[in-house]
Every structure is written in C-alpha cells, then in structure tokens.
Amino acid sequence: MANRTATAPPAEQPPGGGLVDHHCHGVARGPLSASRFTAYLTESDAPAADGTTFFDSQLGFAVRRWCPPLLGLPAHCPPAGYLARRAELGADEVNRRLLGATGITDYVVDTGLADDLTTHHELARAGGGRAHEIVRLETLAEHTADKAGTGREFLDCLQEAVHAAARTAVGFKSVAAYRHGLDFDPAPPGPGELRAATDGWLAAREPGGRLHDPVLLRHLLWTAAATALPLQIHTGFGDPDLSLHRSDPALLTGFIKAVRPTGCPLVLLHAYPYHRNAAYLAQVFPHVYADVGLTLSYTGARATAVLAEVLELAPFGKVMFSTDAYGLPELYVVGTRLFTRALERLTQTWAGEGAWPAAEVPRITGLIGSETARRLYKLPG
C-alpha cells in the first residue's frame, strides 16, 4: 500500500503570494462514482472511446500528476487507486485538502449552474478564501420568466433583477455563445423588436425553458452593460451545445465597439482555439480583457505554449488567471499548478534571455495572477 501522509502538502506559492480565481464554479458536495468523476474531465456529453476513460487526456494526466500527493498517494497512481482513496477520505476532506493547496485567496464564482454543487460561500470556506458572486444573465432571465405573467411584466422585472444583482455581485456573465452564437446584431434592440421577441418567447416557452432568442440575449447584454460592472462572455470551446465557429471572440468586434461608451469592461473567457484573437482584442480595445481559464487545464502539458501565445500580443495588465473549475476540486489544483508553472517558465526564460527586465517579473506575474482582477472587480486587497 502506498505511503499516505496525514495532511496535505503545503499550498502552492502563486505569483504575488495569492491568486484570484476570477471565473470558477462550485464543487460536488457528496461522493462521486467513477463515471460521474470522469464526466467532469471532458466537455463531451458522450462516453470515452472504447477501451479508454477521460483520464486518458491532457487534463486527466494532469489530475494524476498533481492531485494524488495531496491525498497521500504517489503522483500518477492508477485512477482506480486514486478514486478509492478519494472515497475513503470523503468529499468534505477531499475538498478541504485540494482547495486548501491551491493558493487561491478569492473565488469569483458563476452561481448560475447546478444546485447540487457548493455555493460560492461554501466553496470559499472549504478553500480558506473569500467568496464573490458573478450572476449569469440567462439564468437570471429564465428565473424571472418563471414568475412573470405578461411580456411587460417580464421586462420590468428583468430590469429590476439585473440592477438588484448589481448591488451585491461583482459582475455578470453571458453564455450567448451557447444559446445563439456571438454573430449577433451588436446594437441594442428597439422597443418594438424587444416586445415582439418577448411575447413570442414567453408564448412558446415551457416552464423552465432556456432562453435562446437573439433579441432577448442582446437585451440582456445591454442591460448588464448599463450597470458598468464587468461582463464575462463565454468564447471559444465548450460542450456540444455550441457551434465552435460561432464562438470566436472576433465576432464580438461590433459589440465591443458599440458598448465602449457605457464603461462596461468585457472579459473574454477561455477563447481556445481563438485565444490569439482574444489577445488581439485585449490589445486594441481598452475595456477588453483576456482570460486563460479552462484552456490551460485542458491543454495540460502544452499549457506553457498556449499561455505564451496569449502573451504574444495581449498587454500584461489585460490577462487574468482563472481555473473555470467545475464539479471537482481537482480542477482547481490542476488549473493553479499549470498556470503558475507555465508563467514561471516563460518569465524565467524571457528574463534569462534579456527580453524581459528581471526586476519587473514579480510585478507582471502579480498583475496576471491577482492584481488586475482585484482592480477590475473591485475586490478587497
């Protein structure tokens, strides 16, 4: 039997002494079967290829590299042994050990997902950090529609709900890339167009039905932009609900230009394989920021190369760390380990070559790891 430590190894030492995970989700509260665990290692909605599991991927290998030692097992131990140890410890202890080893001080959590996951407050308590909420616009609209009678009532209540959320949340998020695509009309919809779309959607909608109407999606984006809080927008790869070519952040160029006078910062999440396009947009538009979450975890051993591509063009103060972890505390560990090591390798190489001033490295890594997010979301220091 493998030698098991009584407690988890010390937390990763992140850039600047602490990380702000500016886009993430809750983790499972209870035990997970092997199939449920591995389902969190992919964006696919189908089983793994015959004779394999989703551990057989860059992300799966990264989990096996970084997580077993935190549970008292050797790195790269077989998946069955890891899952058995996980079950032995129980979800609460696993969450505490893994989240506590990341060096994350602030969790900026998208709360618009499954009810069986921890809340943002529960997540932060398990990780010994602080909780902040990001409100998902489409979920907010769907909950509002469940209670509304008429189209006029829905629009009035939606306006009130967005502004009420803005009083406590640090930002909003949209998944318009999933529900329609990013190739939407960038202008705010007119009153007649909005009323017609609202009446049509409510008349056709089943209770709990999702919002897909492009006019209402645009209305949501513009309503959130009017609050001037940061607006996160899913771009790039995700599950099969989206069409990848319609999630290219470059398709947002018209909206980016149109929304600039509102003062609303736009955060382009994930972006892969269009991460260079996101970096370009962050370079040329002062209110646009690029995110590296999800991308680094899924690219695993290639994370350094992908992060280098983001940093080719994006200003260093416009790139932000996140994990986009969902369901598994392991994804927080992998996201932080891959990010911190990739950034360390790049900055040491560039400073060693004389391309970067070595004395500036701590400041730049601190910006990417935490300080830009603290400023943008107005988080406490």
Side-chain angles (χ1 to χ4, degrees):
M1 180 178 293
N3 181 39
R4 294 174 176 176
T5 57
T7 58
E12 182 82 350
Q13 293 303 307
L19 289 169
V20 172
D21 192 341
H22 88 98
H23 180 70
C24 56
H25 307 275
V27 296
R29 290 192 178 94
L32 296 174
S33 66
S35 61
R36 178 82 185 280
F37 184 96
T38 56
Y40 285 120
L41 300 180
T42 179
E43 291 289 330
S44 176
D45 60 0
D50 289 346
T52 72
T53 75
F54 287 117
F55 273 109
D56 298 324
S57 64
Q58 290 280 15
L59 175 56
F61 275 18
V63 167
R64 290 176 60 193
R65 164 64 180 90
W66 297 112
C67 297
L70 298 175
L71 304 187
L73 297 173
H76 298 301
C77 73
Y82 179 75
L83 294 176
R85 175 60 170 161
R86 205 179 188 282
E88 176 188 343
L89 289 171
D92 289 345
E93 178 65 9
V94 169
N95 290 344
R96 184 190 68 80
R97 289 196 187 196
L98 297 186
L99 293 172
T102 62
I104 295 171
T105 62
D106 292 81
Y107 297 83
V108 183
V109 184
D110 171 6
T111 57
L113 279 174
D115 292 335
D116 59 342
L117 302 181
T118 55
T119 68
H120 53 304
H121 294 298
E122 290 170 335
L123 177 72
R125 279 197 299 271
R130 291 170 292 208
H132 314 278
E133 184 179 18
I134 293 289
V135 172
R136 186 178 290 213
L137 291 169
E138 291 79 9
T139 301
L140 185 65
E142 288 153 8
H143 288 169
T144 302
D146 288 337
K147 304 171 186 175
T150 66
R152 181 71 268 168
E153 183 182 357
F154 167 73
L155 291 173
D156 289 343
C157 290
L158 181 61
Q159 183 85 6
E160 181 180 336
V162 170
H163 286 279
R167 290 194 285 271
T168 56
V170 298
F172 292 98
K173 179 191 176 182
S174 172
V175 289
Y178 281 97
R179 302 302 181 82
H180 172 73
L182 301 179
D183 48 350
F184 53 80
D185 182 344
E193 183 184 19
L194 182 58
R195 284 195 300 272
T198 301
D199 291 342
W201 179 58
L202 291 178
R205 179 178 184 262
E206 298 290 336
R210 287 186 167 188
L211 173 60
H212 294 91
D213 187 277
V215 173
L216 292 177
L217 292 171
R218 286 160 52 207
H219 176 64
L220 277 176
L221 291 170
W222 279 100
T223 302
T227 71
L229 288 181
L231 174 55
Q232 301 178 348
I233 302 177
H234 179 102
T235 67
F237 82 114
D239 67 43
D241 278 352
L242 61 72
S243 296
L244 184 61
H245 69 287
R246 299 180 69 190
S247 68
D248 184 341
L251 295 171
L252 289 168
T253 302
F255 178 72
I256 289 170
K257 292 178 179 179
V259 85
R260 181 175 174 181
T262 68
C264 173
L266 301 178
V267 182
L268 306 179
L269 299 175
H270 320 317
Y272 188 87
Y274 307 113
H275 49 290
R276 281 173 156 153
N277 291 0
Y280 158 76
L281 293 167
Q283 211 267 353
V284 298
F285 294 109
H287 58 305
V288 174
Y289 294 77
D291 162 69
V292 296
L294 190 66
T295 290
L296 299 188
S297 296
Y298 270 84
T299 53
R302 289 284 294 167
T304 301
V306 175
L307 181 59
E309 290 172 347
V310 175
L311 294 175
E312 287 170 352
L313 199 58
F316 306 138
K318 304 291 286 299
V319 178
M320 294 189 293
F321 160 77
S322 79
T323 61
D324 192 37
Y326 169 66
L328 300 179
E330 284 84 353
L331 301 182
Y332 283 94
V333 174
V334 167
T336 55
R337 294 299 194 270
L338 292 173
F339 167 73
T340 55
R341 279 163 170 72
L343 191 59
E344 182 180 23
R345 289 192 190 103
L346 292 173
T347 56
Q348 287 184 350
T349 297
W350 294 336
E353 294 171 347
W356 279 32
E360 296 286 327
V361 167
R363 181 177 67 85
I364 298 304
T365 58
L367 283 174
I368 298 171
S370 62
E371 293 310 310
T372 296
R374 289 193 189 283
R375 174 180 56 80
L376 188 67
Y377 298 101
K378 296 181 172 58
L379 306 183

